[in-house]
Amino acid sequence: MASTDTKQLLLDYAEKLFAQEGFHHTSMRVLTNQAGVNLAAVNYHFGSKENLLHAVIERRLKPLNKKRFQAIEVVMTQAQKSLQPPSVQDLLLAFLRPTFEFRCASEEAKDFIHLIGRSWNDPDQTVYNCFIKLAMPLFEFFSTCLRLSLPHLDEPVFQARLQFLIGSISAVMCSNEGGYARKSFISVTMNEEEKMDQLLKFLQAGLEAPQ
Amino acid sequence: MASTDTKQLLLDYAEKLFAQEGFHHTSMRVLTNQAGVNLAAVNYHFGSKENLLHAVIERRLKPLNKKRFQAIEVVMTQAQKSLQPPSVQDLLLAFLRPTFEFRCASEEAKDFIHLIGRSWNDPDQTVYNCFIKLAMPLFEFFSTCLRLSLPHLDEPVFQARLQFLIGSISAVMCSNEGGYARKSFISVTMNEEEKMDQLLKFLQAGLEAPQ
DNA sequence: TTACTTTTCAAACAAGTGTTTAAATCAGGT
DNA sequence: ACCTGATTTAAACACTTGTTTGAAAAGTAA
């Protein structure tokens, strides 16, 4: 077996298991068994379990964040041309559309998004740090741009609403109806596009609410 | 030492550690060391680590949910009297006020709320199941009542917005500025009352947005 | 084939986990 | 004082964890 195959297998199954079971709760023995490779392969190819997590997150998050970054940039340049602040709707869409498109791409992508959505509140420092290191620049860029769309808001109010926004987004990212997820009392029977539309409307209304 | 003291100590420190480190990542040896009791005390008094978690959650969640339940009931009886559907604002307030009041009561309460807020998306089935079993009845009641306030929404849209709502609320519950939490790029410098006001406005606007 | 590197493999390692056990200690009632 | 049941204790148990090791196998280039 080529070395790249083993690496890919490990990344794929790690992504799935980390999402489903959590990082700490995923055993390297279970992972390597499912992937059909030897236990020592993880340490040989990645050095450690933590490095494997890093590789799993980086592999998908880098291209995804690049897309989001570019989409936001488009909105910003158009805004500069028209000498107007960017609209909340455009910015939200620039952030959400690549996310949802990515999420719909495959079942594996859904697993990954689940993993990411949970990282915000993950008690495990390992997961949180790994995620935030890769995501921070984008979020700060997004936050700065969104600020321009909502100049009338006091800074603390803006920060608070940013927190609410992230909560809603990560809730959607964590939900995967029809997947391995446990039952919830909420059953969102909606295709992904409609769901994004609804999330957009919800967030826009919340962000633009009178202070 | 009276037996009740040991039990209390275990509950207190378990609450703190489960919130800070997560359930699985909390070692019973560390827990019993911090609490100053013997390792075997957990199994003697609670039977198992899982039962301890259950006791931790139940101790605080039962009275909290009772308060929320009663507050919602007040809103509903007033609505019935006036032959009007309950307002979104009143219902949200009935749910949020007891939560925030509880959260402000003490630092331990904040830990607990953090633990609860995370339970939604906890990869650990143990934590999730334990939480949902105790919280489900209240959430279903709340959901049913809120549905009456938003009769014009299609059912799928309502369900989706419910998901967004829970996301925002749990994001706030998980945040504990000034506590042991790691740094975030969001810094919400707001007292709890203002924060609740803002959350209320945000959610109300989002829920009542045109479909 | 030979020589060399990369990759795989089974086994062992050291440390940590929740739980159990049986003896020791403490408490309250008679 | 004594007895009895509740509680605490140190030690051990059985098991899992991520990681390391050194030899075997596979792959590559001369």
Side-chain angles (χ1 to χ4, degrees), chain B residues 168-180:
Chain B
S168 291
I169 293 178
S170 67
V172 175
M173 288 169 76
C174 285
S175 77
N176 57 347
E177 288 84 17
Y180 52 83

Side-chain angles (χ1 to χ4, degrees), chain B:
Chain B
M1 187 185 328
S3 121
T4 55
D5 290 351
T6 306
K7 265 185 130 168
Q8 288 296 324
L9 279 169
L10 281 174
L11 285 171
D12 291 344
Y13 279 87
E15 177 172 84
K16 185 178 151 194
L17 284 173
F18 288 164
Q20 292 182 4
E21 316 280 347
F23 174 67
H24 258 114
H25 201 236
T26 297
S27 155
M28 297 322 260
R29 282 171 176 80
V30 171
L31 168 61
T32 48
N33 271 347
Q34 289 203 11
V37 305
N38 188 271
L39 171 61
V42 172
N43 297 77
Y44 177 76
H45 285 287
F46 295 94
S48 68
K49 184 184 181 184
E50 191 168 338
N51 287 357
L52 173 60
L53 172 69
H54 190 88
V56 164
I57 295 185
E58 193 170 27
R59 173 174 69 152
R60 298 226 195 257
L61 199 55
K62 255 191 170 166
L64 173 58
N65 275 357
K66 194 173 179 184
K67 272 195 181 178
R68 299 200 268 206
F69 196 89
Q70 288 171 336
I72 297 171
E73 265 190 330
V74 168
V75 173
M76 292 309 288
T77 53
Q78 281 184 340
Q80 277 190 320
K81 267 187 202 161
S82 63
L83 297 174
Q84 292 278 331
S87 79
V88 172
Q89 185 176 4
D90 288 346
L91 278 175
L92 284 177
L93 209 54
F95 186 89
L96 291 178
R97 197 193 293 285
T99 310
F100 273 81
E101 272 172 5
F102 176 85
R103 189 176 140 90
C104 294
S106 67
E107 209 55 41
E108 297 82 50
K110 235 175 185 174
D111 281 347
F112 178 74
I113 292 288
H114 189 180
L115 176 63
I116 290 303
R118 219 171 38 209
S119 299
W120 281 109
N121 296 338
D122 205 310
D124 187 352
Q125 293 279 1
T126 315
V127 179
Y128 179 80
N129 289 338
C130 185
F131 162 71
I132 211 70
K133 195 163 53 186
L134 286 161
M136 191 75 108
L138 175 78
F139 285 129
E140 285 191 327
F141 179 52
F142 176 71
S143 159
T144 308
C145 296
L146 192 62
R147 191 69 181 97
L148 300 176
S149 306
L150 300 160
H152 57 288
L153 291 182
D154 292 344
E155 180 64 17
V157 174
F158 175 75
Q159 294 282 334
R161 293 190 179 180
L162 209 54
Q163 192 176 67
F164 309 153
L165 171 134
I166 286 172
S168 291
I169 293 178
S170 67
V172 175
M173 288 169 76
C174 285
S175 77
N176 57 347
E177 288 84 17
Y180 52 83
R182 53 230 158 183
K183 67 176 182 345
S184 166
F185 76 101
I186 307 176
S187 59
V188 183
T189 56
M190 223 181 218
N191 66 46
E192 295 292 318
E193 197 162 345
E194 280 179 301
K195 199 164 183 177
M196 190 190 76
D197 266 6
Q198 282 302 323
L199 180 55
L200 187 66
K201 277 174 189 155
F202 181 88
L203 293 176
Q204 191 184 348
L207 288 171
E208 291 177 336
Q211 184 166 319

